[in-house]
Amino acid sequence: MRLALALVALVVAGCDAAPPAAVATPAGQPQGGTLVVAAQEPSTLDPLYVAGVQAAATIYSVAVEGLVRVLPDGTFAPLLAREVPTLDNGGVTVSATGMQVRYVLREGVTWSDGAPLSSADVRFTWERVMRDPRVATREGYDLIDGIDTPDAQTVVVRYRQVYPPYLTRFDAILPRHALEGADPAAYGRTPLGTGPFRISEFASGQQITAVRNPRYREPGRPLLDRLIFKLVPSVEAAMAQLRAGEVHAAFNVSEADALDLGTDPAIALDEARSPIIEALSFNVARRGDPADDSAPHPVLGDRAVRRALVHAT
Protein backbone atom coordinates (compact mmCIF):
# COMPACT_ATOMS: atom_id res chain seq x y z
CA MET A 1 0.00 0.00 0.00
CA ARG A 2 1.14 3.55 -0.62
CA LEU A 3 -0.05 6.44 1.49
CA ALA A 4 0.08 9.83 -0.21
CA LEU A 5 0.99 11.98 2.77
CA ALA A 6 3.87 14.33 3.50
CA LEU A 7 5.78 12.05 5.84
CA VAL A 8 9.42 12.58 6.72
CA ALA A 9 9.88 8.80 6.65
CA LEU A 10 7.42 5.97 6.23
CA VAL A 11 7.97 2.36 7.15
CA VAL A 12 5.45 -0.12 5.76
CA ALA A 13 4.98 -3.68 6.92
CA GLY A 14 3.19 -6.42 5.01
CA CYS A 15 -0.60 -6.00 5.06
CA ASP A 16 -3.32 -8.37 3.94
CA ALA A 17 -6.39 -6.34 4.85
CA ALA A 18 -9.25 -7.47 2.64
CA PRO A 19 -10.86 -4.65 0.64
CA PRO A 20 -14.59 -4.02 1.20
CA ALA A 21 -17.03 -3.34 -1.61
CA ALA A 22 -15.41 -2.28 -4.88
CA VAL A 23 -15.35 1.33 -6.05
CA ALA A 24 -14.50 2.77 -9.46
CA THR A 25 -10.75 3.34 -9.65
CA PRO A 26 -8.22 4.04 -12.40
CA ALA A 27 -7.33 0.87 -14.30
CA GLY A 28 -4.68 -1.29 -12.70
CA GLN A 29 -4.63 0.50 -9.32
CA PRO A 30 -5.43 -1.23 -6.01
CA GLN A 31 -8.51 -0.12 -4.12
CA GLY A 32 -10.18 -0.62 -0.79
CA GLY A 33 -8.76 -1.71 2.55
CA THR A 34 -7.56 -0.11 5.77
CA LEU A 35 -4.12 1.26 6.58
CA VAL A 36 -3.08 1.41 10.24
CA VAL A 37 -0.42 4.01 11.05
CA ALA A 38 1.32 4.36 14.40
CA ALA A 39 1.28 7.99 15.60
CA GLN A 40 1.79 9.90 18.82
CA GLU A 41 -1.38 11.54 20.08
CA PRO A 42 -1.86 15.23 19.20
CA SER A 43 -3.61 17.54 21.66
CA THR A 44 -5.87 18.82 18.86
CA LEU A 45 -6.40 18.55 15.12
CA ASP A 46 -7.40 22.18 14.68
CA PRO A 47 -5.01 23.48 11.97
CA LEU A 48 -4.80 26.92 13.58
CA TYR A 49 -3.55 25.51 16.87
CA VAL A 50 -0.97 22.99 15.68
CA ALA A 51 1.32 24.97 13.34
CA GLY A 52 4.65 23.16 13.13
CA VAL A 53 3.43 20.00 14.87
CA GLN A 54 4.17 17.40 12.22
CA ALA A 55 2.10 14.44 13.48
CA ALA A 56 -1.05 16.53 13.98
CA ALA A 57 -0.64 18.25 10.60
CA THR A 58 -0.16 14.91 8.87
CA ILE A 59 -3.36 13.56 10.38
CA TYR A 60 -5.64 16.55 9.80
CA SER A 61 -4.33 17.04 6.24
CA VAL A 62 -6.09 13.86 5.06
CA ALA A 63 -9.35 15.78 5.64
CA VAL A 64 -8.56 19.50 5.65
CA GLU A 65 -7.14 21.20 2.55
CA GLY A 66 -5.67 24.58 1.67
CA LEU A 67 -5.76 26.77 -1.41
CA VAL A 68 -2.44 25.44 -2.69
CA ARG A 69 -0.03 22.72 -1.57
CA VAL A 70 3.71 22.32 -1.40
CA LEU A 71 5.24 19.56 -3.54
CA PRO A 72 8.24 17.51 -2.38
CA ASP A 73 10.60 19.62 -4.50
CA GLY A 74 9.43 22.80 -2.76
CA THR A 75 7.29 24.13 -5.61
CA PHE A 76 3.56 24.84 -5.30
CA ALA A 77 0.54 23.23 -6.95
CA PRO A 78 -3.15 24.24 -6.87
CA LEU A 79 -5.45 22.43 -4.47
CA LEU A 80 -8.72 24.22 -3.71
CA ALA A 81 -7.65 27.04 -6.03
CA ARG A 82 -7.79 26.50 -9.80
CA GLU A 83 -4.23 27.69 -10.24
CA VAL A 84 -1.31 29.04 -8.24
CA PRO A 85 -1.47 32.88 -8.38
CA THR A 86 1.78 34.46 -9.59
CA LEU A 87 3.01 37.70 -11.12
CA ASP A 88 3.30 35.94 -14.49
CA ASN A 89 -0.32 34.81 -14.69
CA GLY A 90 -1.75 38.01 -13.22
CA GLY A 91 -2.86 36.42 -9.97
CA VAL A 92 -0.50 38.71 -8.04
CA THR A 93 -0.23 42.47 -8.50
CA VAL A 94 2.24 44.73 -6.71
CA SER A 95 1.86 48.47 -6.15
CA ALA A 96 3.34 51.22 -3.99
CA THR A 97 0.76 50.43 -1.29
CA GLY A 98 1.33 46.67 -1.12
CA MET A 99 0.21 43.62 -3.07
CA GLN A 100 -2.96 41.78 -3.99
CA VAL A 101 -3.32 38.04 -4.46
CA ARG A 102 -6.31 36.71 -6.39
CA TYR A 103 -7.46 33.12 -5.96
CA VAL A 104 -10.22 31.50 -8.00
CA LEU A 105 -11.71 28.46 -6.28
CA ARG A 106 -12.44 25.18 -8.02
CA GLU A 107 -16.10 24.81 -8.92
CA GLY A 108 -18.28 22.10 -7.44
CA VAL A 109 -16.16 21.50 -4.31
CA THR A 110 -18.16 20.62 -1.20
CA TRP A 111 -17.32 20.05 2.42
CA SER A 112 -17.66 16.44 3.53
CA ASP A 113 -21.09 17.29 5.01
CA GLY A 114 -22.32 18.41 1.57
CA ALA A 115 -22.20 22.20 2.04
CA PRO A 116 -20.53 24.08 -0.85
CA LEU A 117 -17.06 25.57 -0.46
CA SER A 118 -17.09 29.33 -1.09
CA SER A 119 -14.90 32.41 -0.89
CA ALA A 120 -16.63 33.26 2.40
CA ASP A 121 -14.85 30.28 3.97
CA VAL A 122 -11.45 31.75 3.05
CA ARG A 123 -12.32 35.12 4.55
CA PHE A 124 -13.72 33.44 7.66
CA THR A 125 -10.44 31.50 8.08
CA TRP A 126 -8.45 34.74 8.09
CA GLU A 127 -10.89 36.42 10.49
CA ARG A 128 -10.61 33.54 12.94
CA VAL A 129 -6.81 33.61 12.77
CA MET A 130 -6.87 37.27 13.71
CA ARG A 131 -9.42 37.12 16.52
CA ASP A 132 -8.68 33.79 18.23
CA PRO A 133 -6.08 34.33 20.99
CA ARG A 134 -5.08 30.65 20.97
CA VAL A 135 -3.81 30.37 17.39
CA ALA A 136 -0.23 29.17 16.99
CA THR A 137 0.79 32.02 14.68
CA ARG A 138 -0.54 35.06 12.84
CA GLU A 139 2.62 35.47 10.78
CA GLY A 140 1.71 36.84 7.35
CA TYR A 141 -1.99 37.01 8.16
CA ASP A 142 -1.35 40.13 10.24
CA LEU A 143 -0.09 41.88 7.08
CA ILE A 144 -3.48 41.53 5.40
CA ASP A 145 -5.62 44.68 5.28
CA GLY A 146 -8.70 42.82 4.12
CA ILE A 147 -10.12 40.10 1.91
CA ASP A 148 -12.63 40.84 -0.84
CA THR A 149 -15.07 38.20 -2.06
CA PRO A 150 -16.71 39.62 -5.21
CA ASP A 151 -18.38 36.26 -5.86
CA ALA A 152 -18.55 32.77 -4.37
CA GLN A 153 -15.50 31.56 -6.30
CA THR A 154 -13.18 34.59 -6.11
CA VAL A 155 -10.93 35.67 -3.24
CA VAL A 156 -8.79 38.82 -3.33
CA VAL A 157 -6.30 39.09 -0.47
CA ARG A 158 -5.00 42.63 0.10
CA TYR A 159 -1.58 42.83 1.78
CA ARG A 160 -0.35 46.17 3.09
CA GLN A 161 3.19 45.35 1.95
CA VAL A 162 4.93 42.88 -0.34
CA TYR A 163 4.87 39.46 1.34
CA PRO A 164 7.02 36.97 -0.64
CA PRO A 165 5.88 33.73 1.15
CA TYR A 166 2.20 34.46 0.47
CA LEU A 167 1.63 30.93 -0.89
CA THR A 168 2.41 29.45 2.52
CA ARG A 169 -0.68 31.11 3.98
CA PHE A 170 -4.21 29.62 3.80
CA ASP A 171 -2.80 26.10 3.87
CA ALA A 172 -5.94 24.98 5.74
CA ILE A 173 -9.38 26.44 4.99
CA LEU A 174 -12.03 26.26 7.70
CA PRO A 175 -15.81 25.79 7.19
CA ARG A 176 -17.67 28.97 8.06
CA HIS A 177 -21.05 27.25 8.21
CA ALA A 178 -19.82 24.75 10.83
CA LEU A 179 -17.64 27.03 12.98
CA GLU A 180 -19.28 30.46 13.02
CA GLY A 181 -20.57 30.95 16.55
CA ALA A 182 -19.58 27.41 17.56
CA ASP A 183 -17.09 26.10 20.14
CA PRO A 184 -13.84 25.34 18.24
CA ALA A 185 -12.92 22.59 20.72
CA ALA A 186 -15.30 20.11 19.06
CA TYR A 187 -13.87 20.98 15.65
CA GLY A 188 -10.41 20.20 16.95
CA ARG A 189 -11.46 16.61 17.63
CA THR A 190 -13.11 15.86 14.28
CA PRO A 191 -12.24 18.68 11.85
CA LEU A 192 -14.54 19.06 8.85
CA GLY A 193 -12.79 19.42 5.52
CA THR A 194 -12.94 18.99 1.74
CA GLY A 195 -10.22 16.33 1.49
CA PRO A 196 -10.29 12.67 0.42
CA PHE A 197 -11.02 11.45 3.96
CA ARG A 198 -13.32 12.48 6.79
CA ILE A 199 -12.17 12.31 10.43
CA SER A 200 -14.86 10.20 12.07
CA GLU A 201 -13.36 9.41 15.48
CA PHE A 202 -10.84 10.76 17.96
CA ALA A 203 -10.57 8.29 20.84
CA SER A 204 -7.89 9.58 23.20
CA GLY A 205 -5.27 6.99 24.05
CA GLN A 206 -6.59 4.65 21.37
CA GLN A 207 -6.94 5.84 17.79
CA ILE A 208 -8.01 8.50 15.31
CA THR A 209 -10.08 7.16 12.42
CA ALA A 210 -10.49 8.71 8.98
CA VAL A 211 -12.97 7.19 6.51
CA ARG A 212 -13.36 7.75 2.78
CA ASN A 213 -15.17 10.97 1.92
CA PRO A 214 -17.90 9.96 -0.56
CA ARG A 215 -18.24 13.59 -1.69
CA TYR A 216 -14.60 13.99 -2.66
CA ARG A 217 -14.24 15.74 -6.00
CA GLU A 218 -11.96 13.16 -7.67
CA PRO A 219 -13.92 10.07 -8.85
CA GLY A 220 -12.54 6.81 -7.48
CA ARG A 221 -10.39 8.57 -4.89
CA PRO A 222 -9.17 7.91 -2.33
CA LEU A 223 -8.15 4.32 -3.00
CA LEU A 224 -8.25 3.30 0.67
CA ASP A 225 -11.50 2.93 2.59
CA ARG A 226 -10.09 3.88 5.95
CA LEU A 227 -7.05 5.25 7.75
CA ILE A 228 -6.51 4.39 11.39
CA PHE A 229 -3.90 6.38 13.29
CA LYS A 230 -3.15 4.14 16.25
CA LEU A 231 -2.04 6.36 19.11
CA VAL A 232 1.21 5.30 20.76
CA PRO A 233 3.16 6.93 23.61
CA SER A 234 6.52 7.08 21.83
CA VAL A 235 8.48 6.37 18.65
CA GLU A 236 9.93 3.30 20.41
CA ALA A 237 6.42 1.93 20.94
CA ALA A 238 5.61 2.55 17.28
CA MET A 239 8.70 0.60 16.19
CA ALA A 240 7.77 -2.30 18.47
CA GLN A 241 4.24 -2.46 17.06
CA LEU A 242 5.60 -2.32 13.53
CA ARG A 243 7.91 -5.26 14.18
CA ALA A 244 5.05 -7.18 15.78
CA GLY A 245 2.78 -6.55 12.78
CA GLU A 246 0.25 -4.60 14.88
CA VAL A 247 0.47 -1.59 12.54
CA HIS A 248 1.16 -1.33 8.82
CA ALA A 249 3.14 1.90 8.89
CA ALA A 250 4.94 4.38 11.10
CA PHE A 251 6.63 7.70 10.57
CA ASN A 252 9.31 9.76 12.33
CA VAL A 253 11.70 6.86 11.88
CA SER A 254 15.27 7.68 12.94
CA GLU A 255 18.36 6.69 10.98
CA ALA A 256 19.23 4.09 13.62
CA ASP A 257 15.73 2.58 13.45
CA ALA A 258 15.88 2.53 9.66
CA LEU A 259 19.12 0.53 9.68
CA ASP A 260 17.66 -1.95 12.15
CA LEU A 261 14.29 -2.30 10.41
CA GLY A 262 16.00 -2.70 7.03
CA THR A 263 17.21 -6.14 8.09
CA ASP A 264 13.64 -7.43 8.53
CA PRO A 265 12.40 -9.06 5.28
CA ALA A 266 8.76 -8.29 6.21
CA ILE A 267 9.38 -4.55 6.37
CA ALA A 268 10.08 -2.15 3.50
CA LEU A 269 11.59 1.27 4.12
CA ASP A 270 10.14 3.92 1.82
CA GLU A 271 12.26 7.08 1.81
CA ALA A 272 10.77 10.07 0.02
CA ARG A 273 11.63 13.72 -0.46
CA SER A 274 9.57 16.10 1.60
CA PRO A 275 9.14 19.88 1.91
CA ILE A 276 8.91 19.53 5.71
CA ILE A 277 11.71 21.28 7.59
CA GLU A 278 12.49 20.57 11.24
CA ALA A 279 13.56 23.67 13.16
CA LEU A 280 14.96 24.27 16.65
CA SER A 281 13.95 27.62 18.13
CA PHE A 282 15.30 29.29 21.26
CA ASN A 283 13.69 31.85 23.54
CA VAL A 284 16.64 34.09 24.27
CA ALA A 285 14.74 36.63 26.42
CA ARG A 286 15.26 36.82 30.16
CA ARG A 287 12.66 34.79 32.01
CA GLY A 288 9.74 36.60 33.55
CA ASP A 289 6.02 37.22 33.26
CA PRO A 290 6.16 38.68 30.74
CA ALA A 291 9.61 37.80 29.41
CA ASP A 292 12.07 40.68 29.09
CA ASP A 293 13.24 41.03 25.46
CA SER A 294 15.75 43.70 26.41
CA ALA A 295 17.88 41.32 28.50
CA PRO A 296 19.38 37.94 27.58
CA HIS A 297 18.29 34.60 29.00
CA PRO A 298 20.87 33.47 31.64
CA VAL A 299 21.61 30.27 29.69
CA LEU A 300 20.15 30.45 26.18
CA GLY A 301 21.33 34.03 25.79
CA ASP A 302 24.83 32.66 25.28
CA ARG A 303 25.47 31.97 21.58
CA ALA A 304 28.04 29.28 22.41
CA VAL A 305 25.43 27.36 24.43
CA ARG A 306 22.92 27.57 21.60
CA ARG A 307 25.53 26.35 19.11
CA ALA A 308 26.39 23.42 21.38
CA LEU A 309 22.73 22.45 21.70
CA VAL A 310 22.27 22.54 17.93
CA HIS A 311 25.30 20.30 17.41
CA ALA A 312 24.14 17.92 20.15
CA THR A 313 20.64 17.69 18.67
Side-chain angles (χ1 to χ4, degrees):
M1 293 184 175
R2 185 171 297 275
L3 177 59
L5 298 177
L7 305 183
V8 170
L10 178 66
V11 173
V12 182
C15 170
D16 57 1
V23 295
T25 60
Q29 291 192 334
Q31 50 92 55
T34 298
L35 184 69
V36 183
V37 183
Q40 290 182 265
E41 182 170 352
S43 58
T44 179
L45 294 177
D46 190 315
L48 302 190
Y49 295 167
V50 299
V53 181
Q54 180 198 327
T58 298
I59 295 171
Y60 79 63
S61 65
V62 306
V64 180
E65 299 178 304
L67 296 179
V68 301
R69 63 190 178 101
V70 188
L71 299 177
D73 63 0
T75 59
F76 293 88
L79 197 54
L80 293 178
R82 290 186 201 170
E83 64 178 355
V84 177
T86 65
L87 286 169
D88 291 338
N89 62 23
V92 177
T93 56
V94 177
S95 68
T97 57
M99 65 182 286
Q100 289 192 357
V101 182
R102 182 175 181 269
Y103 296 93
V104 178
L105 302 180
R106 293 180 186 269
E107 295 181 354
V109 176
T110 66
W111 298 94
S112 60
D113 65 356
L117 170 74
S118 79
S119 56
D121 295 309
V122 181
R123 184 169 59 191
F124 171 80
T125 300
W126 169 65
E127 291 171 346
R128 186 177 163 220
V129 170
M130 296 306 297
R131 69 170 179 259
D132 191 332
R134 294 168 294 179
V135 299
T137 181
R138 293 192 180 92
E139 195 274 321
Y141 296 105
D142 56 356
L143 298 178
I144 297 173
D145 269 337
I147 295 180
D148 300 325
T149 54
D151 57 57
Q153 304 303 121
T154 306
V155 180
V156 180
V157 183
R158 294 183 281 107
Y159 289 89
R160 69 177 63 97
Q161 66 184 61
V162 174
Y163 182 61
Y166 65 95
L167 290 175
T168 63
R169 305 299 83 184
F170 298 102
D171 56 341
I173 303 302
L174 307 183
R176 176 187 177 188
H177 71 284
L179 275 172
E180 195 166 41
D183 181 1
Y187 178 81
R189 305 297 287 179
T190 54
L192 180 70
T194 56
F197 291 92
R198 176 176 58 84
I199 305 293
S200 62
E201 174 192 34
F202 190 144
S204 292
Q206 300 178 46
Q207 66 185 41
I208 296 171
T209 304
V211 297
R212 179 191 284 123
N213 175 11
R215 295 186 173 93
Y216 188 53
R217 59 187 174 274
E218 293 188 29
R221 300 284 183 162
L223 301 181
L224 290 170
D225 295 297
R226 187 177 294 103
L227 291 170
I228 294 177
F229 295 93
K230 188 175 181 181
L231 303 178
V232 295
S234 65
V235 174
E236 291 74 22
M239 296 303 99
Q241 292 188 11
L242 188 71
R243 292 186 180 95
E246 297 174 7
V247 299
H248 304 137
F251 54 91
N252 278 352
V253 181
S254 70
E255 289 85 351
D257 287 323
L259 289 172
D260 185 28
L261 293 167
T263 63
D264 189 331
I267 296 176
L269 180 66
D270 187 1
E271 297 180 354
R273 297 180 64 186
S274 169
I276 295 175
I277 297 173
E278 296 287 352
L280 184 64
S281 302
F282 297 104
N283 183 353
V284 297
R286 185 167 61 186
R287 289 172 297 184
D289 188 14
D292 184 359
D293 291 334
S294 65
H297 188 280
V299 177
L300 297 177
D302 187 334
R303 179 178 295 181
V305 172
R306 298 198 299 272
R307 181 175 293 141
L309 289 170
V310 169
H311 282 301
T313 303

